[in-house]
Amino acid sequence: MVEPTTSSSVTELYEQFVLPTYGRFPIVIERGTGCHVWDENGTEYLDFGAGIAVCSIGHSHPRLVQAIADQAAKLIHTSNLYYTAPQGKLAQRLAECIGTPGKIFFCNSGGEANEGLYKLGRKYGSVTGGTRHEIITFEGSFHGRTMGGISATAQQKVKVGFDPLLPGFRHVPFNDVPALLAAINDKTIGILVEPIQGEGGINSANAEFLRTLRSLCDEHDLLLMFDEVQCGLGRTGDWCGWKTLTGDDLVPDAISWAKGIAGGFPMGAFWVRSKPVELADGTTSRLSDLFGPGTHGTTFGGTPLACAAAHAVLDVIEEENLLENATRRGAYALQKIRGLQSPHIREVRGAGLMIGIELDSALPQKLQQPTKTSSQILVQLLHEQHQLAIPAGANVVRWLPPLNVTEADIDQAVGQLAAALAELDSNLASV
């Protein structure tokens, strides 16, 4: 086997041996430090995508590197047939982030965490009697690429070619209470919502909508489940994305996490509230105890190595005051982007360091590039300015920098964005 040494040789390996499930950009990333990465030619990029909100404390943070090395030398894996201290302690720390009694299940990804929520809904419907099993989700949502995930996701593009989908999901417009009321029926068991939609375009639920969801779930005996895979655990300037929108006066019944939870080491998790549940046989249990032995499991979830990584991430967020940094730097970035006043930008929105730049949807037609989306066009122009950003649907570009981003990093990113927009002006003028 010949070691790939050039960009073209690496891409040739992908073309020959890797399933083409991603529309990859022509950049081969080799290493990273903090908010910066370098390609195989030594070209430096400012990384404002952070692996799609995963590298929450930046690349190769020394605390994370040391924690992984120390735990790897001690114990990498032992299966969930046994107890390990890192998993138990991490569950306690995450439960404390919620501030309401509950229990945690560890897995490997956001898609797997959401699968746990679907099963929780089905289990709740089963033990409380009747035939309730449907979960309501919202237009623009994204809940993963598993069969359950694409069935739950209310975006047609992820479903094409994969029929039959899993039954039991109904989709309604986001932030639309009358539509939601019309969708609740005698089969409904729960509501799953991203407080801030990520892949859907950085769309926030309004606070009153989230409070109405809680009221409706209480009124109809439904589970309120939050998908915080992208917006949770610090991204919005709070441990909980929904608390950024509503404050502490709302508690869901279950939450899914992933992305930045372990700073780049694969991990997902979901939390279940320890509230009483009246069972069909007349007895009472707790929601967090409905999953008994044999009802759910995973081989790799919550390994000592993954938990050590997550502990390091939480330590750094606490010790470096990164929740406040996310709030302050996010507000600064919003102000600076809005100050550009580009005719190509329709709206700038977000919370903390979860920022969406909505573009003119007609850019592909204006540039005579009908096979591309507006977000792809700007992201590629940002690459030329040595910045990595993430498309969110057809018309929105996401900034999801590490939580320890500096004001100087943001100034550099805004300068690169201004240059990319100027290049866009030039390209439009030459058409």
Side-chain angles (χ1 to χ4, degrees):
M1 183 174 67
V2 179
E3 286 294 323
T5 56
T6 65
S7 174
S8 61
S9 61
V10 172
T11 56
E12 285 171 8
L13 286 176
Y14 273 68
E15 289 171 3
Q16 190 170 356
F17 297 112
V18 179
L19 281 176
T21 57
Y22 294 93
R24 299 178 193 270
F25 296 108
I27 300 173
V28 179
I29 304 295
E30 187 177 73
R31 61 190 172 90
T33 299
C35 283
H36 302 264
V37 295
W38 287 261
D39 69 13
E40 83 289 2
N41 298 316
T43 302
E44 182 178 347
Y45 292 85
L46 183 63
D47 188 359
F48 264 42
I52 317 182
V54 167
C55 303
S56 51
I57 56 173
H59 296 278
S60 301
H61 192 292
R63 285 288 297 273
L64 180 57
V65 172
Q66 191 63 53
I68 292 173
D70 290 346
Q71 185 60 50
K74 189 175 180 182
L75 180 69
I76 293 176
H77 177 79
T78 185
S79 94
N80 282 303
L81 294 175
Y82 311 102
Y83 298 97
T84 62
Q87 185 178 129
K89 291 177 180 176
L90 182 62
Q92 179 186 24
R93 292 183 75 174
L94 291 172
E96 289 173 353
C97 291
I98 306 301
T100 298
K103 296 182 180 178
I104 312 284
F105 178 89
F106 292 102
C107 50
N108 304 289
S109 68
E112 191 181 352
N114 283 333
E115 289 287 337
L117 299 191
Y118 315 144
K119 287 184 67 175
L120 178 68
R122 294 289 182 97
K123 190 69 174 179
Y124 186 67
S126 172
V127 300
T128 55
T131 58
R132 299 189 301 160
H133 65 279
E134 288 187 352
I135 296 173
I136 295 174
T137 68
F138 297 93
E139 292 179 3
S141 61
F142 181 77
H143 299 295
R145 299 281 184 178
T146 62
M147 282 303 297
I150 64 174
S151 301
T153 294
Q155 296 190 55
Q156 186 58 29
K157 66 182 183 183
V158 307
K159 303 173 186 284
V160 175
F162 296 108
D163 288 328
L165 300 175
L166 298 185
F169 295 97
R170 292 169 66 89
H171 310 315
V172 301
F174 198 36
N175 282 324
D176 188 332
V177 173
L180 174 61
L181 278 170
I184 294 174
N185 58 43
D186 59 3
K187 294 182 180 177
T188 309
I189 195 61
I191 296 172
L192 174 63
V193 61
E194 295 163 277
I196 303 176
Q197 294 179 343
E199 200 276 342
I202 313 297
N203 304 309
S204 294
N206 62 59
E208 191 55 38
F209 182 67
L210 291 180
R211 292 192 181 97
T212 300
L213 294 186
R214 180 69 274 173
S215 298
L216 288 173
C217 285
D218 292 339
E219 179 182 349
H220 295 276
D221 187 25
L222 312 177
L223 297 182
L224 177 58
M225 301 181 285
F226 285 168
D227 179 338
E228 293 236 335
V229 166
Q230 188 166 148
C231 71
L233 298 178
R235 176 57 50 187
T236 64
D238 196 307
W239 291 118
C240 307
W242 89 86
K243 290 187 178 182
T244 300
L245 305 176
T246 68
D248 293 328
D249 63 336
L250 185 156
V251 180
D253 298 312
I255 305 165
S256 57
W257 294 299
K259 298 290 190 189
I261 187 172
F265 198 93
M267 174 174 261
F270 63 89
W271 170 89
V272 181
R273 186 178 179 182
S274 293
K275 72 175 187 180
V277 175
E278 293 184 9
L279 307 182
D281 63 5
T283 62
T284 300
S285 179
R286 292 189 177 279
L287 185 64
S288 55
D289 291 331
L290 294 187
F291 279 168
T295 57
H296 197 54
T298 176
T299 296
F300 295 107
T303 65
L305 192 57
C307 291
H311 277 295
V313 169
L314 296 179
D315 288 343
V316 170
I317 291 175
E318 290 174 349
E319 294 166 9
E320 298 185 9
N321 205 17
L322 297 188
L323 297 184
E324 181 183 336
N325 193 65
T327 300
R328 188 153 43 91
R329 304 297 185 208
Y332 180 72
L334 285 174
Q335 175 196 356
K336 298 288 284 187
I337 301 170
R338 287 168 179 155
L340 294 177
Q341 298 183 335
S342 168
H344 311 302
I345 296 178
R346 292 290 177 265
E347 184 180 11
V348 183
R349 55 180 179 259
L353 292 171
M354 191 174 181
I355 294 171
I357 305 167
E358 183 173 343
L359 303 166
D360 176 4
S361 61
L363 282 175
Q365 288 70 39
K366 291 177 180 177
L367 288 164
Q368 298 179 5
Q369 298 178 19
T371 62
K372 294 183 179 179
T373 65
S374 296
S375 57
Q376 288 172 336
I377 289 169
L378 182 60
V379 164
Q380 287 178 320
L381 289 172
L382 287 168
H383 289 168
E384 295 173 12
Q385 301 300 322
H386 297 171
Q387 179 187 136
L388 304 185
I390 308 293
N395 303 319
V396 178
V397 170
R398 275 176 286 183
W399 273 9
L400 305 162
L403 304 183
N404 49 7
V405 66
T406 67
E407 189 169 297
D409 293 327
I410 292 171
D411 287 339
Q412 181 183 355
V414 172
Q416 292 168 332
L417 175 60
L421 292 168
E423 182 64 21
L424 188 54
D425 287 334
S426 177
N427 292 344
L428 284 166
S430 63
V431 174

